[in-house]
Amino acid sequence: MKNINLGKSILTLVLIVFFFNPTEMFSQGPPPWAPAHGYRAKTRHIYFPEQNFYYDIQKKNYIYLKNNNWEISVSLPSIFVGINLGNTAQIELDFEGSNPYRYNSVHIVKYKKPKKHKEKYKKEHKHKYKD
């Protein structure tokens, strides 16, 4: 009697796993609006416009300009150590290749931080707008 109940329990469990396998629901990956992870990720390089350097996600290294030459480092270069990179601007580049710095002049212009009105300008022109 115990063998029959054990057999029914195993059969029921196998049927549940076979018919209600949750992996089937997610086999096509996350929805397009969700952040990309793993194989769906198209980004390989992160560009930090305020510091003008790159991080290669696949190779896990930093690409930065030093004495007019591009250098590669597996650790954060010492000139950037005091900067909280979590709070600085980061651009996910849609670039396939290993040398994003080839387009650095384009990146500098394209991702340039918009200038704020200078305080001096405001002070100089303040008197013109009095009530």
Side-chain angles (χ1 to χ4, degrees), residues 10-32:
I10 291 173
L11 180 62
T12 304
L13 182 63
V14 169
L15 290 173
I16 288 172
V17 170
F18 182 74
F19 288 111
F20 299 104
N21 189 352
T23 58
E24 289 298 316
M25 295 187 312
F26 303 107
S27 65
Q28 296 180 7

mmCIF file with all atom_site columns, all heavy atoms in Angstrom, residues 10-32:
data_model
loop_
_atom_site.group_PDB
_atom_site.id
_atom_site.type_symbol
_atom_site.label_atom_id
_atom_site.label_alt_id
_atom_site.label_comp_id
_atom_site.label_asym_id
_atom_site.label_entity_id
_atom_site.label_seq_id
_atom_site.pdbx_PDB_ins_code
_atom_site.Cartn_x
_atom_site.Cartn_y
_atom_site.Cartn_z
_atom_site.occupancy
_atom_site.B_iso_or_equiv
_atom_site.pdbx_formal_charge
_atom_site.auth_seq_id
_atom_site.auth_comp_id
_atom_site.auth_asym_id
_atom_site.auth_atom_id
_atom_site.pdbx_PDB_model_num
ATOM 1   N N   . ILE A 1 10 ? 4.894  10.416 -6.535  1.00 0.00 ? 10 ILE A N   1
ATOM 2   C CA  . ILE A 1 10 ? 5.976  10.721 -7.488  1.00 0.00 ? 10 ILE A CA  1
ATOM 3   C C   . ILE A 1 10 ? 5.392  11.084 -8.843  1.00 0.00 ? 10 ILE A C   1
ATOM 4   O O   . ILE A 1 10 ? 5.818  12.044 -9.475  1.00 0.00 ? 10 ILE A O   1
ATOM 5   C CB  . ILE A 1 10 ? 6.955  9.533  -7.589  1.00 0.00 ? 10 ILE A CB  1
ATOM 6   C CG1 . ILE A 1 10 ? 7.719  9.399  -6.264  1.00 0.00 ? 10 ILE A CG1 1
ATOM 7   C CG2 . ILE A 1 10 ? 7.923  9.730  -8.740  1.00 0.00 ? 10 ILE A CG2 1
ATOM 8   C CD1 . ILE A 1 10 ? 8.595  8.171  -6.192  1.00 0.00 ? 10 ILE A CD1 1
ATOM 9   N N   . LEU A 1 11 ? 4.407  10.318 -9.301  1.00 0.00 ? 11 LEU A N   1
ATOM 10  C CA  . LEU A 1 11 ? 3.770  10.592 -10.584 1.00 0.00 ? 11 LEU A CA  1
ATOM 11  C C   . LEU A 1 11 ? 3.108  11.965 -10.579 1.00 0.00 ? 11 LEU A C   1
ATOM 12  O O   . LEU A 1 11 ? 3.242  12.731 -11.546 1.00 0.00 ? 11 LEU A O   1
ATOM 13  C CB  . LEU A 1 11 ? 2.737  9.506  -10.910 1.00 0.00 ? 11 LEU A CB  1
ATOM 14  C CG  . LEU A 1 11 ? 1.982  9.672  -12.229 1.00 0.00 ? 11 LEU A CG  1
ATOM 15  C CD1 . LEU A 1 11 ? 2.949  9.624  -13.401 1.00 0.00 ? 11 LEU A CD1 1
ATOM 16  C CD2 . LEU A 1 11 ? 0.920  8.610  -12.370 1.00 0.00 ? 11 LEU A CD2 1
ATOM 17  N N   . THR A 1 12 ? 2.424  12.305 -9.499  1.00 0.00 ? 12 THR A N   1
ATOM 18  C CA  . THR A 1 12 ? 1.786  13.618 -9.379  1.00 0.00 ? 12 THR A CA  1
ATOM 19  C C   . THR A 1 12 ? 2.820  14.729 -9.423  1.00 0.00 ? 12 THR A C   1
ATOM 20  O O   . THR A 1 12 ? 2.643  15.736 -10.122 1.00 0.00 ? 12 THR A O   1
ATOM 21  C CB  . THR A 1 12 ? 0.978  13.700 -8.069  1.00 0.00 ? 12 THR A CB  1
ATOM 22  O OG1 . THR A 1 12 ? 0.042  12.629 -8.032  1.00 0.00 ? 12 THR A OG1 1
ATOM 23  C CG2 . THR A 1 12 ? 0.248  15.019 -7.960  1.00 0.00 ? 12 THR A CG2 1
ATOM 24  N N   . LEU A 1 13 ? 3.901  14.543 -8.715  1.00 0.00 ? 13 LEU A N   1
ATOM 25  C CA  . LEU A 1 13 ? 4.971  15.535 -8.699  1.00 0.00 ? 13 LEU A CA  1
ATOM 26  C C   . LEU A 1 13 ? 5.579  15.719 -10.090 1.00 0.00 ? 13 LEU A C   1
ATOM 27  O O   . LEU A 1 13 ? 5.808  16.845 -10.541 1.00 0.00 ? 13 LEU A O   1
ATOM 28  C CB  . LEU A 1 13 ? 6.059  15.138 -7.688  1.00 0.00 ? 13 LEU A CB  1
ATOM 29  C CG  . LEU A 1 13 ? 7.209  16.102 -7.528  1.00 0.00 ? 13 LEU A CG  1
ATOM 30  C CD1 . LEU A 1 13 ? 6.710  17.438 -6.994  1.00 0.00 ? 13 LEU A CD1 1
ATOM 31  C CD2 . LEU A 1 13 ? 8.260  15.520 -6.609  1.00 0.00 ? 13 LEU A CD2 1
ATOM 32  N N   . VAL A 1 14 ? 5.829  14.633 -10.791 1.00 0.00 ? 14 VAL A N   1
ATOM 33  C CA  . VAL A 1 14 ? 6.385  14.703 -12.148 1.00 0.00 ? 14 VAL A CA  1
ATOM 34  C C   . VAL A 1 14 ? 5.430  15.436 -13.083 1.00 0.00 ? 14 VAL A C   1
ATOM 35  O O   . VAL A 1 14 ? 5.850  16.274 -13.881 1.00 0.00 ? 14 VAL A O   1
ATOM 36  C CB  . VAL A 1 14 ? 6.708  13.283 -12.679 1.00 0.00 ? 14 VAL A CB  1
ATOM 37  C CG1 . VAL A 1 14 ? 7.017  13.304 -14.163 1.00 0.00 ? 14 VAL A CG1 1
ATOM 38  C CG2 . VAL A 1 14 ? 7.867  12.682 -11.903 1.00 0.00 ? 14 VAL A CG2 1
ATOM 39  N N   . LEU A 1 15 ? 4.145  15.155 -12.981 1.00 0.00 ? 15 LEU A N   1
ATOM 40  C CA  . LEU A 1 15 ? 3.160  15.815 -13.834 1.00 0.00 ? 15 LEU A CA  1
ATOM 41  C C   . LEU A 1 15 ? 3.082  17.315 -13.536 1.00 0.00 ? 15 LEU A C   1
ATOM 42  O O   . LEU A 1 15 ? 2.972  18.134 -14.449 1.00 0.00 ? 15 LEU A O   1
ATOM 43  C CB  . LEU A 1 15 ? 1.784  15.169 -13.677 1.00 0.00 ? 15 LEU A CB  1
ATOM 44  C CG  . LEU A 1 15 ? 1.655  13.759 -14.266 1.00 0.00 ? 15 LEU A CG  1
ATOM 45  C CD1 . LEU A 1 15 ? 0.302  13.142 -13.906 1.00 0.00 ? 15 LEU A CD1 1
ATOM 46  C CD2 . LEU A 1 15 ? 1.856  13.787 -15.761 1.00 0.00 ? 15 LEU A CD2 1
ATOM 47  N N   . ILE A 1 16 ? 3.149  17.671 -12.266 1.00 0.00 ? 16 ILE A N   1
ATOM 48  C CA  . ILE A 1 16 ? 3.104  19.087 -11.899 1.00 0.00 ? 16 ILE A CA  1
ATOM 49  C C   . ILE A 1 16 ? 4.312  19.815 -12.467 1.00 0.00 ? 16 ILE A C   1
ATOM 50  O O   . ILE A 1 16 ? 4.191  20.886 -13.064 1.00 0.00 ? 16 ILE A O   1
ATOM 51  C CB  . ILE A 1 16 ? 3.027  19.243 -10.362 1.00 0.00 ? 16 ILE A CB  1
ATOM 52  C CG1 . ILE A 1 16 ? 1.645  18.833 -9.869  1.00 0.00 ? 16 ILE A CG1 1
ATOM 53  C CG2 . ILE A 1 16 ? 3.341  20.675 -9.940  1.00 0.00 ? 16 ILE A CG2 1
ATOM 54  C CD1 . ILE A 1 16 ? 1.525  18.765 -8.354  1.00 0.00 ? 16 ILE A CD1 1
ATOM 55  N N   . VAL A 1 17 ? 5.486  19.226 -12.295 1.00 0.00 ? 17 VAL A N   1
ATOM 56  C CA  . VAL A 1 17 ? 6.708  19.856 -12.816 1.00 0.00 ? 17 VAL A CA  1
ATOM 57  C C   . VAL A 1 17 ? 6.661  19.943 -14.336 1.00 0.00 ? 17 VAL A C   1
ATOM 58  O O   . VAL A 1 17 ? 7.037  20.954 -14.922 1.00 0.00 ? 17 VAL A O   1
ATOM 59  C CB  . VAL A 1 17 ? 7.961  19.084 -12.341 1.00 0.00 ? 17 VAL A CB  1
ATOM 60  C CG1 . VAL A 1 17 ? 9.203  19.564 -13.062 1.00 0.00 ? 17 VAL A CG1 1
ATOM 61  C CG2 . VAL A 1 17 ? 8.123  19.228 -10.841 1.00 0.00 ? 17 VAL A CG2 1
ATOM 62  N N   . PHE A 1 18 ? 6.181  18.888 -14.986 1.00 0.00 ? 18 PHE A N   1
ATOM 63  C CA  . PHE A 1 18 ? 6.140  18.854 -16.450 1.00 0.00 ? 18 PHE A CA  1
ATOM 64  C C   . PHE A 1 18 ? 5.162  19.882 -17.020 1.00 0.00 ? 18 PHE A C   1
ATOM 65  O O   . PHE A 1 18 ? 5.484  20.603 -17.965 1.00 0.00 ? 18 PHE A O   1
ATOM 66  C CB  . PHE A 1 18 ? 5.761  17.444 -16.923 1.00 0.00 ? 18 PHE A CB  1
ATOM 67  C CG  . PHE A 1 18 ? 5.748  17.307 -18.409 1.00 0.00 ? 18 PHE A CG  1
ATOM 68  C CD1 . PHE A 1 18 ? 6.930  17.263 -19.130 1.00 0.00 ? 18 PHE A CD1 1
ATOM 69  C CD2 . PHE A 1 18 ? 4.548  17.224 -19.096 1.00 0.00 ? 18 PHE A CD2 1
ATOM 70  C CE1 . PHE A 1 18 ? 6.921  17.144 -20.507 1.00 0.00 ? 18 PHE A CE1 1
ATOM 71  C CE2 . PHE A 1 18 ? 4.526  17.102 -20.471 1.00 0.00 ? 18 PHE A CE2 1
ATOM 72  C CZ  . PHE A 1 18 ? 5.711  17.061 -21.175 1.00 0.00 ? 18 PHE A CZ  1
ATOM 73  N N   . PHE A 1 19 ? 3.960  19.979 -16.460 1.00 0.00 ? 19 PHE A N   1
ATOM 74  C CA  . PHE A 1 19 ? 2.934  20.851 -17.015 1.00 0.00 ? 19 PHE A CA  1
ATOM 75  C C   . PHE A 1 19 ? 2.971  22.282 -16.497 1.00 0.00 ? 19 PHE A C   1
ATOM 76  O O   . PHE A 1 19 ? 2.505  23.195 -17.158 1.00 0.00 ? 19 PHE A O   1
ATOM 77  C CB  . PHE A 1 19 ? 1.534  20.266 -16.785 1.00 0.00 ? 19 PHE A CB  1
ATOM 78  C CG  . PHE A 1 19 ? 1.250  19.073 -17.637 1.00 0.00 ? 19 PHE A CG  1
ATOM 79  C CD1 . PHE A 1 19 ? 1.129  17.817 -17.071 1.00 0.00 ? 19 PHE A CD1 1
ATOM 80  C CD2 . PHE A 1 19 ? 1.129  19.199 -19.009 1.00 0.00 ? 19 PHE A CD2 1
ATOM 81  C CE1 . PHE A 1 19 ? 0.871  16.714 -17.855 1.00 0.00 ? 19 PHE A CE1 1
ATOM 82  C CE2 . PHE A 1 19 ? 0.882  18.089 -19.805 1.00 0.00 ? 19 PHE A CE2 1
ATOM 83  C CZ  . PHE A 1 19 ? 0.752  16.838 -19.227 1.00 0.00 ? 19 PHE A CZ  1
ATOM 84  N N   . PHE A 1 20 ? 3.484  22.486 -15.330 1.00 0.00 ? 20 PHE A N   1
ATOM 85  C CA  . PHE A 1 20 ? 3.477  23.820 -14.733 1.00 0.00 ? 20 PHE A CA  1
ATOM 86  C C   . PHE A 1 20 ? 4.879  24.360 -14.509 1.00 0.00 ? 20 PHE A C   1
ATOM 87  O O   . PHE A 1 20 ? 5.146  25.045 -13.539 1.00 0.00 ? 20 PHE A O   1
ATOM 88  C CB  . PHE A 1 20 ? 2.702  23.793 -13.404 1.00 0.00 ? 20 PHE A CB  1
ATOM 89  C CG  . PHE A 1 20 ? 1.273  23.380 -13.566 1.00 0.00 ? 20 PHE A CG  1
ATOM 90  C CD1 . PHE A 1 20 ? 0.859  22.113 -13.199 1.00 0.00 ? 20 PHE A CD1 1
ATOM 91  C CD2 . PHE A 1 20 ? 0.357  24.257 -14.122 1.00 0.00 ? 20 PHE A CD2 1
ATOM 92  C CE1 . PHE A 1 20 ? -0.457 21.732 -13.363 1.00 0.00 ? 20 PHE A CE1 1
ATOM 93  C CE2 . PHE A 1 20 ? -0.960 23.877 -14.282 1.00 0.00 ? 20 PHE A CE2 1
ATOM 94  C CZ  . PHE A 1 20 ? -1.376 22.607 -13.909 1.00 0.00 ? 20 PHE A CZ  1
ATOM 95  N N   . ASN A 1 21 ? 5.754  24.057 -15.408 1.00 0.00 ? 21 ASN A N   1
ATOM 96  C CA  . ASN A 1 21 ? 7.143  24.506 -15.289 1.00 0.00 ? 21 ASN A CA  1
ATOM 97  C C   . ASN A 1 21 ? 7.196  26.011 -15.546 1.00 0.00 ? 21 ASN A C   1
ATOM 98  O O   . ASN A 1 21 ? 6.893  26.472 -16.637 1.00 0.00 ? 21 ASN A O   1
ATOM 99  C CB  . ASN A 1 21 ? 8.018  23.760 -16.291 1.00 0.00 ? 21 ASN A CB  1
ATOM 100 C CG  . ASN A 1 21 ? 9.487  24.012 -16.064 1.00 0.00 ? 21 ASN A CG  1
ATOM 101 O OD1 . ASN A 1 21 ? 9.857  24.850 -15.257 1.00 0.00 ? 21 ASN A OD1 1
ATOM 102 N ND2 . ASN A 1 21 ? 10.319 23.282 -16.781 1.00 0.00 ? 21 ASN A ND2 1
ATOM 103 N N   . PRO A 1 22 ? 7.565  26.818 -14.551 1.00 0.00 ? 22 PRO A N   1
ATOM 104 C CA  . PRO A 1 22 ? 7.566  28.276 -14.716 1.00 0.00 ? 22 PRO A CA  1
ATOM 105 C C   . PRO A 1 22 ? 8.613  28.791 -15.704 1.00 0.00 ? 22 PRO A C   1
ATOM 106 O O   . PRO A 1 22 ? 8.496  29.890 -16.184 1.00 0.00 ? 22 PRO A O   1
ATOM 107 C CB  . PRO A 1 22 ? 7.860  28.795 -13.305 1.00 0.00 ? 22 PRO A CB  1
ATOM 108 C CG  . PRO A 1 22 ? 8.499  27.673 -12.597 1.00 0.00 ? 22 PRO A CG  1
ATOM 109 C CD  . PRO A 1 22 ? 7.973  26.417 -13.228 1.00 0.00 ? 22 PRO A CD  1
ATOM 110 N N   . THR A 1 23 ? 9.592  27.957 -16.046 1.00 0.00 ? 23 THR A N   1
ATOM 111 C CA  . THR A 1 23 ? 10.601 28.438 -16.995 1.00 0.00 ? 23 THR A CA  1
ATOM 112 C C   . THR A 1 23 ? 10.003 28.653 -18.379 1.00 0.00 ? 23 THR A C   1
ATOM 113 O O   . THR A 1 23 ? 10.518 29.460 -19.149 1.00 0.00 ? 23 THR A O   1
ATOM 114 C CB  . THR A 1 23 ? 11.795 27.467 -17.095 1.00 0.00 ? 23 THR A CB  1
ATOM 115 O OG1 . THR A 1 23 ? 11.315 26.182 -17.487 1.00 0.00 ? 23 THR A OG1 1
ATOM 116 C CG2 . THR A 1 23 ? 12.535 27.382 -15.779 1.00 0.00 ? 23 THR A CG2 1
ATOM 117 N N   . GLU A 1 24 ? 8.920  27.946 -18.688 1.00 0.00 ? 24 GLU A N   1
ATOM 118 C CA  . GLU A 1 24 ? 8.276  28.139 -19.978 1.00 0.00 ? 24 GLU A CA  1
ATOM 119 C C   . GLU A 1 24 ? 7.713  29.552 -20.120 1.00 0.00 ? 24 GLU A C   1
ATOM 120 O O   . GLU A 1 24 ? 7.714  30.125 -21.190 1.00 0.00 ? 24 GLU A O   1
ATOM 121 C CB  . GLU A 1 24 ? 7.160  27.111 -20.179 1.00 0.00 ? 24 GLU A CB  1
ATOM 122 C CG  . GLU A 1 24 ? 7.647  25.700 -20.411 1.00 0.00 ? 24 GLU A CG  1
ATOM 123 C CD  . GLU A 1 24 ? 8.474  25.588 -21.671 1.00 0.00 ? 24 GLU A CD  1
ATOM 124 O OE1 . GLU A 1 24 ? 8.074  26.152 -22.695 1.00 0.00 ? 24 GLU A OE1 1
ATOM 125 O OE2 . GLU A 1 24 ? 9.534  24.947 -21.614 1.00 0.00 ? 24 GLU A OE2 1
ATOM 126 N N   . MET A 1 25 ? 7.245  30.123 -19.020 1.00 0.00 ? 25 MET A N   1
ATOM 127 C CA  . MET A 1 25 ? 6.662  31.459 -19.059 1.00 0.00 ? 25 MET A CA  1
ATOM 128 C C   . MET A 1 25 ? 7.728  32.515 -19.348 1.00 0.00 ? 25 MET A C   1
ATOM 129 O O   . MET A 1 25 ? 7.445  33.543 -19.923 1.00 0.00 ? 25 MET A O   1
ATOM 130 C CB  . MET A 1 25 ? 5.967  31.772 -17.735 1.00 0.00 ? 25 MET A CB  1
ATOM 131 C CG  . MET A 1 25 ? 4.776  30.903 -17.464 1.00 0.00 ? 25 MET A CG  1
ATOM 132 S SD  . MET A 1 25 ? 3.832  31.377 -16.000 1.00 0.00 ? 25 MET A SD  1
ATOM 133 C CE  . MET A 1 25 ? 5.052  31.582 -14.760 1.00 0.00 ? 25 MET A CE  1
ATOM 134 N N   . PHE A 1 26 ? 8.965  32.273 -18.942 1.00 0.00 ? 26 PHE A N   1
ATOM 135 C CA  . PHE A 1 26 ? 10.021 33.270 -19.066 1.00 0.00 ? 26 PHE A CA  1
ATOM 136 C C   . PHE A 1 26 ? 11.093 32.874 -20.085 1.00 0.00 ? 26 PHE A C   1
ATOM 137 O O   . PHE A 1 26 ? 12.163 33.442 -20.105 1.00 0.00 ? 26 PHE A O   1
ATOM 138 C CB  . PHE A 1 26 ? 10.687 33.499 -17.702 1.00 0.00 ? 26 PHE A CB  1
ATOM 139 C CG  . PHE A 1 26 ? 9.716  33.907 -16.650 1.00 0.00 ? 26 PHE A CG  1
ATOM 140 C CD1 . PHE A 1 26 ? 9.338  33.031 -15.658 1.00 0.00 ? 26 PHE A CD1 1
ATOM 141 C CD2 . PHE A 1 26 ? 9.166  35.174 -16.658 1.00 0.00 ? 26 PHE A CD2 1
ATOM 142 C CE1 . PHE A 1 26 ? 8.438  33.393 -14.687 1.00 0.00 ? 26 PHE A CE1 1
ATOM 143 C CE2 . PHE A 1 26 ? 8.263  35.555 -15.685 1.00 0.00 ? 26 PHE A CE2 1
ATOM 144 C CZ  . PHE A 1 26 ? 7.892  34.655 -14.697 1.00 0.00 ? 26 PHE A CZ  1
ATOM 145 N N   . SER A 1 27 ? 10.803 31.917 -20.943 1.00 0.00 ? 27 SER A N   1
ATOM 146 C CA  . SER A 1 27 ? 11.817 31.414 -21.859 1.00 0.00 ? 27 SER A CA  1
ATOM 147 C C   . SER A 1 27 ? 12.274 32.463 -22.879 1.00 0.00 ? 27 SER A C   1
ATOM 148 O O   . SER A 1 27 ? 13.345 32.350 -23.428 1.00 0.00 ? 27 SER A O   1
ATOM 149 C CB  . SER A 1 27 ? 11.305 30.167 -22.577 1.00 0.00 ? 27 SER A CB  1
ATOM 150 O OG  . SER A 1 27 ? 10.202 30.515 -23.394 1.00 0.00 ? 27 SER A OG  1
ATOM 151 N N   . GLN A 1 28 ? 11.469 33.482 -23.130 1.00 0.00 ? 28 GLN A N   1
ATOM 152 C CA  . GLN A 1 28 ? 11.846 34.497 -24.103 1.00 0.00 ? 28 GLN A CA  1
ATOM 153 C C   . GLN A 1 28 ? 12.574 35.667 -23.469 1.00 0.00 ? 28 GLN A C   1
ATOM 154 O O   . GLN A 1 28 ? 12.876 36.643 -24.138 1.00 0.00 ? 28 GLN A O   1
ATOM 155 C CB  . GLN A 1 28 ? 10.612 34.988 -24.849 1.00 0.00 ? 28 GLN A CB  1
ATOM 156 C CG  . GLN A 1 28 ? 9.975  33.889 -25.671 1.00 0.00 ? 28 GLN A CG  1
ATOM 157 C CD  . GLN A 1 28 ? 8.757  34.388 -26.407 1.00 0.00 ? 28 GLN A CD  1
ATOM 158 O OE1 . GLN A 1 28 ? 8.464  35.572 -26.413 1.00 0.00 ? 28 GLN A OE1 1
ATOM 159 N NE2 . GLN A 1 28 ? 8.039  33.491 -27.029 1.00 0.00 ? 28 GLN A NE2 1
ATOM 160 N N   . GLY A 1 29 ? 12.885 35.600 -22.205 1.00 0.00 ? 29 GLY A N   1
ATOM 161 C CA  . GLY A 1 29 ? 13.625 36.662 -21.540 1.00 0.00 ? 29 GLY A CA  1
ATOM 162 C C   . GLY A 1 29 ? 12.707 37.711 -20.957 1.00 0.00 ? 29 GLY A C   1
ATOM 163 O O   . GLY A 1 29 ? 11.488 37.637 -21.063 1.00 0.00 ? 29 GLY A O   1
ATOM 164 N N   . PRO A 1 30 ? 13.325 38.716 -20.341 1.00 0.00 ? 30 PRO A N   1
ATOM 165 C CA  . PRO A 1 30 ? 12.528 39.778 -19.716 1.00 0.00 ? 30 PRO A CA  1
ATOM 166 C C   . PRO A 1 30 ? 11.879 40.667 -20.771 1.00 0.00 ? 30 PRO A C   1
ATOM 167 O O   . PRO A 1 30 ? 12.287 40.662 -21.931 1.00 0.00 ? 30 PRO A O   1
ATOM 168 C CB  . PRO A 1 30 ? 13.563 40.557 -18.904 1.00 0.00 ? 30 PRO A CB  1
ATOM 169 C CG  . PRO A 1 30 ? 14.851 40.284 -19.577 1.00 0.00 ? 30 PRO A CG  1
ATOM 170 C CD  . PRO A 1 30 ? 14.747 38.909 -20.150 1.00 0.00 ? 30 PRO A CD  1
ATOM 171 N N   . PRO A 1 31 ? 10.864 41.426 -20.389 1.00 0.00 ? 31 PRO A N   1
ATOM 172 C CA  . PRO A 1 31 ? 10.219 42.323 -21.354 1.00 0.00 ? 31 PRO A CA  1
ATOM 173 C C   . PRO A 1 31 ? 11.197 43.386 -21.837 1.00 0.00 ? 31 PRO A C   1
ATOM 174 O O   . PRO A 1 31 ? 12.182 43.685 -21.171 1.00 0.00 ? 31 PRO A O   1
ATOM 175 C CB  . PRO A 1 31 ? 9.079  42.942 -20.548 1.00 0.00 ? 31 PRO A CB  1
ATOM 176 C CG  . PRO A 1 31 ? 9.388  42.683 -19.130 1.00 0.00 ? 31 PRO A CG  1
ATOM 177 C CD  . PRO A 1 31 ? 10.276 41.496 -19.075 1.00 0.00 ? 31 PRO A CD  1
ATOM 178 N N   . PRO A 1 32 ? 10.942 43.973 -22.998 1.00 0.00 ? 32 PRO A N   1
ATOM 179 C CA  . PRO A 1 32 ? 11.878 44.937 -23.588 1.00 0.00 ? 32 PRO A CA  1
ATOM 180 C C   . PRO A 1 32 ? 12.152 46.159 -22.713 1.00 0.00 ? 32 PRO A C   1
ATOM 181 O O   . PRO A 1 32 ? 13.217 46.739 -22.790 1.00 0.00 ? 32 PRO A O   1
ATOM 182 C CB  . PRO A 1 32 ? 11.202 45.368 -24.883 1.00 0.00 ? 32 PRO A CB  1
ATOM 183 C CG  . PRO A 1 32 ? 10.071 44.458 -25.102 1.00 0.00 ? 32 PRO A CG  1
ATOM 184 C CD  . PRO A 1 32 ? 9.787  43.729 -23.842 1.00 0.00 ? 32 PRO A CD  1
#
